[in-house]
Amino acid sequence: SRGGPLQGRKVVVTAGGTREPLDPVRYLTNRSSGKQGYAVAQAALDRGADVVLITTVDGLPWPSGARRVAVATAQEMLEAVLAECQNADVLIMAAAVADFRPATAAGQKIKKEGGAPTLTLAANPDILLEVARQRQRLGHPQVVVGFAAETENLLQNAQAKLARKSLTLMVANDVSATDAGFAVDTNRVTLISAGGAFETLPLMSKVEVAEKIVDRIVEILAGTEEE
Ligand code: C5P
């Protein structure tokens, strides 16, 4: 066995932007690279956890030892997350789930000869809200971590989101800064606990942010987190 403070714990991590099909060759997506989620998966592995990485991403170095579940759409991610969370200790929802998908995906490639189509969107399920519902019934996962990408009122918006989604911990990210957030290797985040305590971390690598997040989870599971 590998040992470490998360030995025997099942940690589920999601990463990447979901891809919502328009037709067989086109999809809507967002700027998420998956890097922060992959770094979190690696940090959990390093602390001995059994890690399931639910990912939309190809081509990032794989955190060796994690079990891979490949998904594309929000609906597929929802199904994978609910299935894996039934016996999980921790869910870390680092994926950027598309809020909307094309209401219908055409069965055949949309042809330009038909003129510019009108795109009708439909709302995707909120995965964390569905997890909160299942968690009330099953008691799993004990710890649920969400991310908030905000461009204004970072703390207020993130705190409201933490409450609405019944999270244990919120990782709040100011995406208006150019040196942090999407696609770069650095991040500047504030960790907010369910109890209301918050800690703003300096600009650091996504690997270091991941280690901070996972160390906080270790404290929460051990019941030693300071409020
Ligand atoms: O509400 P908002 O998208 O800002 O919240 C971000 C958090 O919620 C992230 O942890 C993201 O993975 C999760 N989320 C979700 N299902 C959605 C949208 C976001 O679980 N449909």
Side-chain angles (χ1 to χ4, degrees), residues 14 16 18 74 77-78 81 91-100 123-131 145-150 157 161 164-165 167 169-171:
T14 65
T18 63
M77 185 173 281
L78 171 67
V81 167
L91 169 67
I92 303 161
M93 200 62 209
V97 183
D99 292 320
F100 304 103
N124 270 333
D126 189 302
I127 297 174
L128 282 172
L129 288 181
E130 300 301 328
V131 167
V145 181
F147 286 67
E150 304 288 345
N157 286 334
K161 213 164 271 182
R164 187 158 44 84
K165 302 195 184 205
L167 304 181
L169 184 68
M170 173 60 96
V171 184

Side-chain angles (χ1 to χ4, degrees), residues 114-184:
T118 300
L119 194 52
T120 305
L121 301 178
N124 270 333
D126 189 302
I127 297 174
L128 282 172
L129 288 181
E130 300 301 328
V131 167
R133 197 172 299 168
Q134 173 170 301
R135 189 178 176 209
Q136 282 197 320
R137 204 157 34 83
L138 300 181
H140 289 277
Q142 295 99 298
V143 172
V144 179
V145 181
F147 286 67
E150 304 288 345
T151 57
E152 56 186 357
N153 300 329
L154 180 71
L155 278 182
Q156 297 93 307
N157 286 334
Q159 232 148 10
K161 213 164 271 182
L162 176 146
R164 187 158 44 84
K165 302 195 184 205
S166 307
L167 304 181
T168 319
L169 184 68
M170 173 60 96
V171 184
N173 197 337
D174 181 352
V175 290
S176 66
T178 55
D179 55 356
F182 291 121
V184 295

